[in-house]
Amino acid sequence: MEKHWWQEAVVYQVYPRSFQDTNDDGIGDLNGVTEHLDYIKKLGADVIWLNPIYQSPNDDNGYDIADYEKIMTEFGTMADFNRLLKAAHDKKLKIMMDLVVNHTSDEHHWFVESRKSLTNDYRDYYIWRDPKNDQEPNNWKSAFSGSAWQFDEATGQYYLHLFSKKQPDLNWDNSDVRKSVFDMMHFWLDKGVDGFRMDVINLISKPEGLPDVKTEGQTNLAANGPHVHDYLKEMNDKVLSHYDVMTVGETPDATTRDAIRYTGFDSHELEMVFQFEHMGLDANEDAALGKWSTNSVKLTDLKQVMSKWQIDLNDKAWNSLYWNNHDQPRAVSRFGNDQGKYRALSAKMLGATLHFMQGTPYIYQGEELGMTNAKFKSLDQYRDIESLNAYHEFVDQKQLVSSTQMLKYLQHSSRDNARTPMQWDDTDNAGFTKGIPWLSVNTNYKKINAAQAVNDKQSVFNFYRKMNLLRKQYEIIVYGDYQLLDPDDDQVWAFTRHLGDQDLLVISNFTERTVQRWYDLSQQSNKTELISNYADDENETLRPYECKVYLIQ
Ligand code: TEU
Ligand code: CA
């Protein structure tokens, strides 16, 4: 078994825009991250993943980059970043940046040049095509509604944008593009950053001829394209292999087979990927509505998908472990129970279920507090381009759903649920800003906030803190093999981990019903309870949302 620091690390994801504002403009900033490094250290994380902090018009909150080597004005200056990086390193915290190179902003000078003329030096930096029968070159859709093609009057061609029209796709088949990206990566790595999360990196190689999609609900055919592995091997050879860094590729639609090709211990491409299979289990039955639904996730489906990833990658590649991020609803609202007394219990149960699997855990800011979906009541509270475009497409343009129904879908699935400001304390705006927050603070901040949690031994925060400490103590938590017990049980998720002469037994009740379950391992006398989310553990039943982790040796 290979052993690397990034397999033993815990990552804390900071969405700077919503983390801490320090200059009262209602927008989080880099100095706000520096202010809370001790909080992240106390939690026990080792790496901080920063969502994009580069110069951007913020059409897609920084995922539309206009200059890769300048800091976004709203977030501060390069001096602020240098201070943050040094302060983090002084506290033995690593910084992983967000690499967004499938596309740039349309305000990037490469695109400003490229659109000037058919013969401009930068023309081939992007994907331009002639109209086909006076229409778009193919039927691909943008992830943010509408066509994936935008017609440009100046040169009479369309350009491809898998996301917003202000996010033109780069042409990775052009070696000049690859060189420009690799040079930029050296710029950040030479400053001492410790790795990259790579945005939709499996979309960078488009299929020859850009053929139409054939199935309803599929937006494009870019995933896992013909040269994606060539380009990642080139990136590894020319950049990554020269540094001791951690990489995680965001790979929508990747299978475990794809993941082994991207992250196999001998692949020399990436260390791990974010897979999306467990993020689609509550999608709408109507493919035209995609992720927009109010469906709940079936436990047997979740167990089957996550166990497949554990088994298929074991000894071949390495899993990332996440329940949520800045694109996904809050974990406790989607997979647990965010009402009343069950909220903290189920948030801890979810944490244990995930963190005792094999892989590198990612904690999204606020998950360690059991923060919940915001469930905004009116459209004007939303800011996310994906949510707003989906509303206008389904309600106004296509009349697929009523406004009331679409607002229910937004409450369940909108990315803004995860982007409400971090809840630091019970003062105005949860201590996030003294200004007007760019996105409303969740109304439950007086009850759910870091100040309360850090001092409460039974809090979700201190449960996550204890898990992070256990990870450093017991190698089996990182390297043990995974085995699912009782796949068909629709109330309890039980699994074991095995390493050498030790076993872990992890049992989680995903329901508010008390259940009786016996596991041979839990009858063994030589068991030690490592952690549980109830203060006492005197009986063999599983109370609502109860989780127990035993070490058996
Ligand atoms: O997200 C990629 C992606 O697949 C998103 O479309 C996501 O799955 C979807 O929004 C969930 O409904 C990455 C970034 O994480 C996201 O914030 C960006 O908007 C997107 O790429 C474009 O850069
Ligand atoms: Ca600010």
Side-chain angles (χ1 to χ4, degrees):
M1 158 70 78
E2 310 226 351
K3 293 185 180 175
H4 304 277
W5 64 265
W6 40 266
Q7 292 173 286
E8 303 175 2
V10 173
V11 183
Y12 187 79
Q13 180 192 351
V14 170
Y15 191 68
R17 194 175 185 83
S18 303
F19 194 65
Q20 176 71 64
D21 171 23
T22 60
N23 62 344
D24 307 343
D25 64 357
I27 300 171
D29 41 59
L30 295 184
N31 289 334
V33 183
T34 307
E35 247 180 49
H36 291 292
L37 290 177
D38 288 333
Y39 169 82
I40 297 171
K41 190 71 188 170
K42 186 181 183 66
L43 179 62
D46 309 287
V47 182
I48 296 170
W49 157 25
L50 287 177
N51 287 100
I53 61 170
Y54 320 99
Q55 191 59 275
S56 165
N58 284 303
D59 190 54
D60 183 20
N61 286 5
Y63 281 93
D64 47 319
I65 295 166
D67 188 326
Y68 287 101
E69 298 180 11
K70 283 204 172 56
I71 301 298
M72 188 192 298
T73 315
E74 293 85 340
F75 286 176
T77 64
M78 188 59 87
D80 294 331
F81 174 76
N82 294 338
R83 200 171 24 258
L84 165 58
L85 184 64
K86 180 168 180 335
H89 284 169
D90 288 351
K91 294 173 193 296
K92 302 256 178 301
L93 285 166
K94 292 178 183 285
I95 298 282
M96 181 163 71
M97 307 285 276
D98 209 316
L99 186 75
V100 187
V101 290
N102 173 70
H103 47 271
T104 69
S105 165
D106 64 349
E107 297 179 27
H108 194 290
H109 79 89
W110 297 341
F111 190 74
V112 171
E113 286 303 314
S114 179
R115 76 188 317 170
K116 276 181 183 167
S117 77
L118 294 173
T119 55
N120 184 285
D121 289 350
Y122 286 93
R123 187 68 179 182
D124 205 22
Y125 261 58
Y126 295 87
I127 298 170
W128 295 95
R129 292 292 185 279
D130 288 330
K132 201 163 95 180
N133 314 322
D134 286 337
Q135 305 271 318
E136 289 80 3
N138 71 18
N139 67 356
W140 291 9
K141 293 274 171 282
S142 157
F144 300 155
S145 304
S147 167
W149 296 94
Q150 175 65 26
F151 187 67
D152 202 54
E153 295 290 340
T155 56
Q157 286 193 319
Y158 285 89
Y159 66 84
L160 178 69
H161 61 87
L162 299 184
F163 294 94
S164 90
K165 52 175 66 71
K166 283 183 67 64
Q167 293 171 291
D169 279 56
L170 282 167
N171 171 18
W172 271 76
D173 296 335
N174 178 348
S175 59
D176 293 341
V177 167
R178 301 198 299 271
K179 182 173 182 326
S180 298
V181 168
F182 300 160
D183 289 348
M184 175 268 288
M185 292 175 72
H186 276 295
F187 169 83
W188 288 103
L189 291 167
D190 289 342
K191 285 177 75 69
V193 304
D194 303 288
F196 291 108
R197 175 267 188 185
M198 299 189 189
D199 192 59
V200 290
I201 199 66
N202 68 325
L203 304 184
I204 60 175
S205 167
K206 274 63 174 180
E208 201 62 41
L210 302 177
D212 279 349
V213 294
K214 300 271 182 294
T215 41
E216 161 96 75
Q218 199 175 12
T219 49
N220 64 63
L221 290 178
N224 311 312
H227 302 292
V228 66
H229 295 288
D230 304 328
Y231 298 156
L232 286 176
K233 283 179 174 19
E234 184 185 353
M235 179 191 282
N236 195 294
D237 176 53
K238 292 184 177 166
V239 186
L240 300 170
S241 58
H242 301 268
Y243 306 84
D244 178 17
V245 290
M246 171 182 189
T247 55
V248 52
E250 186 203 26
T251 52
D253 300 328
T255 62
T256 55
R257 261 173 63 83
D258 296 319
I260 290 166
R261 286 194 68 188
Y262 288 119
T263 67
F265 292 125
D266 55 0
S267 74
H268 305 297
E269 291 183 22
L270 303 171
E271 267 76 59
M272 61 192 103
V273 294
F274 287 135
Q275 56 90 10
F276 278 61
E277 263 195 89
H278 62 317
M279 294 287 117
L281 298 173
D282 51 4
N284 201 298
E285 297 79 1
D286 175 355
L289 291 171
K291 70 175 219 180
W292 302 102
S293 83
T294 53
N295 295 339
S296 50
V297 173
K298 269 176 64 190
L299 179 61
T300 45
D301 292 347
L302 187 61
K303 289 173 20 171
Q304 185 269 328
V305 164
M306 296 298 274
S307 301
K308 177 180 69 173
W309 278 84
Q310 290 285 300
I311 306 292
D312 288 4
L313 269 58
N314 189 41
D315 277 344
K316 297 192 187 76
W318 194 251
N319 271 293
S320 69
L321 302 171
Y322 74 98
W323 286 137
N324 51 188
N325 55 41
H326 63 292
D327 290 334
Q328 300 296 338
R330 287 275 176 191
V332 71
S333 298
R334 188 180 206 178
F335 300 107
N337 181 332
D338 62 7
Q339 301 304 315
K341 63 178 173 173
Y342 291 140
R343 179 189 60 80
L345 269 176
S346 65
K348 290 187 268 187
M349 179 277 289
L350 287 169
T353 309
L354 187 74
H355 283 232
F356 285 100
M357 278 191 261
Q358 187 187 80
T360 298
Y362 289 73
I363 303 169
Y364 176 59
Q365 69 180 48
E367 173 189 336
E368 79 281 5
L369 302 177
M371 276 176 65
T372 70
N373 280 359
K375 304 175 189 173
F376 291 144
K377 301 246 179 317
S378 66
L379 187 66
D380 62 15
Q381 289 182 282
Y382 287 93
R383 294 291 174 274
D384 173 28
I385 184 170
E386 180 191 53
S387 302
L388 294 170
N389 286 6
Y391 179 94
H392 294 304
E393 178 187 359
F394 297 141
V395 176
D396 302 331
Q397 291 149 24
K398 297 182 179 171
Q399 284 91 37
L400 288 180
V401 291
S402 69
S403 170
T404 310
Q405 184 57 49
M406 190 61 201
L407 279 170
K408 287 195 181 108
Y409 288 163
L410 291 175
Q411 286 182 351
H412 178 273
S413 312
S414 169
R415 304 193 298 183
D416 277 336
N417 280 306
R419 301 176 178 186
T420 59
M422 183 67 180
Q423 295 166 202
W424 291 109
D425 56 41
D426 63 5
T427 64
D428 287 353
N429 293 313
F432 165 70
T433 179
K434 293 189 177 59
I436 298 162
W438 72 276
L439 181 69
S440 304
V441 176
N442 195 318
T443 51
N444 60 21
Y445 74 89
K446 286 200 182 295
K447 215 170 20 58
I448 303 172
N449 62 70
Q452 180 282 330
V454 167
N455 298 315
D456 168 4
K457 278 203 302 296
Q458 288 305 316
S459 67
V460 183
F461 176 91
N462 281 312
F463 187 88
Y464 268 67
R465 184 162 184 266
K466 184 174 177 186
M467 288 200 293
N468 292 335
L469 289 170
L470 287 169
R471 177 173 292 271
K472 303 289 184 246
Q473 267 179 277
Y474 296 95
E475 226 187 13
I476 185 171
I477 297 173
V478 179
Y479 295 110
D481 292 351
Y482 170 99
Q483 191 195 359
L484 175 65
L485 305 179
D486 296 341
D488 302 331
D489 190 318
D490 62 359
Q491 296 178 342
V492 176
W493 185 345
F495 61 86
T496 61
R497 302 282 305 281
H498 178 77
L499 183 71
D501 59 1
Q502 288 187 335
D503 285 291
L504 279 185
L505 172 61
V506 183
I507 314 172
S508 298
N509 178 2
F510 269 67
T511 72
E512 55 190 89
R513 294 183 296 284
T514 295
V515 294
Q516 190 81 35
R517 281 291 180 283
W518 297 93
Y519 296 92
D520 297 347
L521 276 176
S522 66
Q523 307 314 310
Q524 295 201 11
S525 55
N526 54 346
K527 73 172 191 275
T528 321
E529 184 184 278
L530 289 189
I531 192 169
S532 91
N533 60 350
Y534 275 74
D536 54 342
D537 173 25
E538 84 295 334
N539 57 25
E540 287 310 310
T541 60
L542 274 171
R543 290 162 285 186
Y545 300 105
E546 182 162 14
C547 69
K548 309 178 188 202
V549 180
Y550 295 116
L551 175 71
I552 293 122
Q553 52 187 353

